């Protein structure tokens, strides 16, 4: 059986020495079963509180909490240099404190904690359906769960929430898949404004530091200055950029893969076209590129600030192409990251 402090009532400085006693101070504000014993449904405090008589200490079990209250009388005296009593003040008062009693989480504990979790997730713009399913999963797991010695019931729920969030995000680091026969083709897709072109270069730069020889490929022939932008960031990172002007993107992708094989580039990053919104023409072009070069990985670039709307974009791209991963951008801004859990 474990006992956890729930509330602390206000008290005067006359109780200062009481709360510096081993019962409160030396146990990190936690009472253990060695301090409170149970016998025939009644409880008893096995430790003396300074200034309190045992008959003045009252313990009551109510709604899963053990309420400890005590009355205390105290006095303060002032003496002069000769030791004569100058002034004397007498105080009397009570204090109370409540402790959770039990080894398992109750439904009420879970309900209170999950309300806060639900609000936090919704405020982070996590998809309502994801929040609903997540809360249900955590609640089912938490009912009757053992409360660890070092945790309160609410903290135990949060521990379960943390574990479930980790599982929801994948539970383990997933690395990029490399083709058994180079080059590895990474196809980057996304909507306009998500930062796809910039992150294509960043990803290529990362693998360049790992000892690879990436090749950037300009397959976005529609957006103004898209090719120039890729050339600029490629030059900054000292990574070659393959471009053939504004011809068929499928042909550009095929030629880029062939060029990489001939020049020793073991990775090809395809910067594909974008739109302001998902349309049939865009998806058809991406499907043709996929069929032509058979990319090893298809990564979707998503703006983290889009929140729940990221689910719609991810669903559309996944149904059309079968994406392998998601790159979230702009997380260094004021985004709450709800898109990460929603997707």
């Amino acid at each position: 059986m474990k006992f956890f402090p729930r509330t602390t009532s206000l008290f005067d400085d006359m109780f200062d020495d009481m709360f510096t006693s081993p019962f409160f101070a030396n146990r990190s504000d936690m009472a253990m079963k060695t301090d409170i014993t149970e016998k025939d449904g009644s409880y008893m405090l096995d430790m003396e509180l300074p200034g309190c008589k045992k008959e003045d200490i009252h313990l009551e079990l109510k709604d899963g909490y053990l309420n400890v209250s005590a009355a205390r009388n105290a006095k303060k005296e002032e003496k002069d240099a000769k030791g004569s009593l100058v002034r004397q003040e007498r105080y009397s008062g009570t204090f109370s404190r409540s402790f959770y009693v039990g080894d398992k989480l109750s439904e009420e504990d879970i309900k209170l904690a999950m309300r806060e979790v639900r609000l936090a997730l919704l405020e982070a713009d996590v998809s309502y359906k994801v929040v609903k399913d997540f809360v249900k999963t955590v609640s089912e797991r938490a009912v009757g769960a053992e409360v660890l010695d070092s945790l309160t019931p609410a903290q135990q729920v949060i521990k379960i929430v943390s574990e479930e969030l980790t599982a929801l995000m994948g539970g383990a680091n997933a690395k990029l898949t490399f083709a058994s026969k180079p080059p590895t083709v990474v196809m980057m897709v996304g909507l306009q404004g998500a930062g796809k072109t910039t992150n294509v270069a960043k990803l290529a730069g990362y693998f360049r530091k790992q000892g690879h020889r990436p090749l950037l490929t300009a397959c976005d022939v529609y957006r103004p200055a898209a090719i120039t932008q890729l050339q600029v960031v490629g030059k900054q990172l000292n990574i070659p950029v393959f471009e053939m002007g504004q011809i068929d993107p499928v042909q550009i992708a095929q030629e880029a893969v062939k060029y990489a094989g001939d020049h020793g580039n073991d990775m090809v990053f395809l910067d594909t076209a974008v739109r302001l919104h998902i349309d049939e023409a865009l998806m058809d072009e991406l499907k043709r590129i996929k069929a032509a070069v058979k990319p090893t990985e298809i990564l979707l670039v998503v703006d983290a600030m889009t929140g729940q709307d990221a689910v719609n974009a991810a669903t559309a791209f996944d149904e059309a192409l079968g994406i392998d991963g998601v790159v979230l951008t702009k997380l260094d801004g004021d985004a709450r990251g709800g898109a990460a859990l929603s997707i």
Side-chain angles (χ1 to χ4, degrees):
M1 181 172 293
K2 292 173 280 293
F3 303 86
F4 300 99
R6 179 179 62 170
T7 59
T8 304
S9 56
L10 299 175
F11 44 85
D12 298 322
D13 58 357
M14 62 179 284
F15 293 109
D16 284 350
D17 57 342
M18 178 186 297
F19 284 90
T20 56
S21 68
F23 179 74
F24 291 105
N26 298 340
R27 296 181 183 273
S28 301
D29 212 23
M30 180 186 293
M32 303 302 291
K33 60 184 178 182
T34 52
D35 301 317
I36 303 176
T37 57
E38 176 189 11
K39 185 178 181 181
D40 299 329
S42 60
Y43 298 87
M44 182 171 60
L45 185 64
D46 292 339
M47 200 170 198
E48 290 189 8
L49 298 179
C52 292
K53 298 179 181 180
K54 284 211 170 185
E55 56 267 26
D56 294 330
I57 301 173
H58 180 67
L59 294 91
E60 179 187 13
L61 181 63
K62 185 178 181 181
D63 297 330
Y65 287 88
L66 182 67
N67 301 310
V68 182
S69 59
R72 184 190 179 194
N73 297 313
K75 65 180 180 180
K76 284 185 177 181
E77 295 181 345
E78 284 187 23
K79 296 182 179 181
D80 57 20
K82 297 181 180 180
S84 301
L85 184 64
V86 177
R87 187 176 65 175
Q88 184 181 73
E89 296 181 4
R90 294 182 179 273
Y91 298 88
S92 64
T94 60
F95 87 96
S96 64
R97 184 167 288 194
S98 298
F99 300 92
Y100 171 74
V101 180
D103 296 319
K104 297 182 183 297
L105 293 172
S106 67
E107 291 188 11
E108 185 63 24
D109 294 325
I110 297 168
K111 188 181 296 183
L112 290 172
M114 292 314 299
R115 180 179 180 277
E116 300 299 323
V117 172
R118 185 185 298 107
L119 288 175
L121 292 175
L122 291 175
E123 287 175 357
D125 209 11
V126 179
S127 169
Y128 175 75
K129 184 180 184 303
V130 173
V131 174
K132 183 179 179 181
D133 293 342
F134 179 79
V135 169
K136 180 181 177 182
T137 301
V138 173
S139 298
E140 289 175 351
R141 180 184 164 188
V143 172
E146 295 290 330
V147 179
L148 301 182
D149 289 340
S150 58
L151 301 178
T152 66
Q155 290 171 334
Q156 181 69 22
V157 174
I158 297 303
K159 176 180 180 294
I160 296 173
V161 168
S162 176
E163 293 172 351
E164 289 297 326
L165 282 175
T166 301
L168 186 62
M169 293 296 293
N173 292 329
K175 296 184 178 180
L176 208 64
T177 302
F178 287 90
S180 56
K181 181 181 179 181
T184 295
V185 181
V186 180
M187 182 176 172
M188 306 283 283
V189 299
L191 295 178
Q192 189 168 324
K196 176 176 57 61
T197 299
T198 301
N199 281 275
V200 166
K202 286 182 178 180
L203 199 56
Y206 170 79
F207 283 105
R208 181 177 178 275
K209 292 179 181 179
Q210 305 300 315
H212 295 278
R213 297 188 61 194
L215 175 69
L216 295 173
T217 306
C219 292
D220 186 353
V221 299
Y222 310 106
R223 184 168 62 89
I227 297 175
T228 303
Q229 180 186 356
L230 193 64
Q231 289 173 330
V232 170
V233 292
K235 184 178 180 180
Q236 291 174 345
L237 296 171
N238 195 26
I239 299 174
V241 177
F242 184 89
E243 60 91 12
M244 296 178 65
Q246 295 179 319
I247 65 172
D248 185 7
V250 178
Q251 183 181 346
I252 296 174
Q254 289 175 318
E255 292 298 325
V257 174
K258 182 179 178 182
Y259 178 91
D262 294 340
H263 292 79
N265 297 103
D266 61 347
M267 298 188 75
V268 177
F269 288 88
L270 305 179
D271 181 27
T272 62
V274 294
R275 298 285 194 280
L276 288 173
H277 55 83
I278 297 169
D279 59 34
E280 189 175 342
L282 169 65
M283 289 303 180
D284 181 63
E285 180 180 295
L286 296 177
K287 288 177 183 178
R288 289 191 295 116
I289 294 176
K290 177 184 178 181
V293 299
K294 295 179 175 56
T296 313
E297 292 271 0
I298 300 178
L299 302 180
L300 172 65
V301 181
V302 175
D303 184 345
M305 292 190 290
T306 57
Q308 297 186 34
D309 193 51
V311 179
N312 300 327
T315 301
F317 277 100
D318 189 43
E319 289 176 351
L321 303 171
I323 61 175
D324 300 297
V326 178
V327 178
L328 281 177
T329 63
K330 305 179 185 178
L331 281 172
D332 56 344
D334 59 357
R336 298 288 296 276
L341 291 176
S342 299
I343 295 173

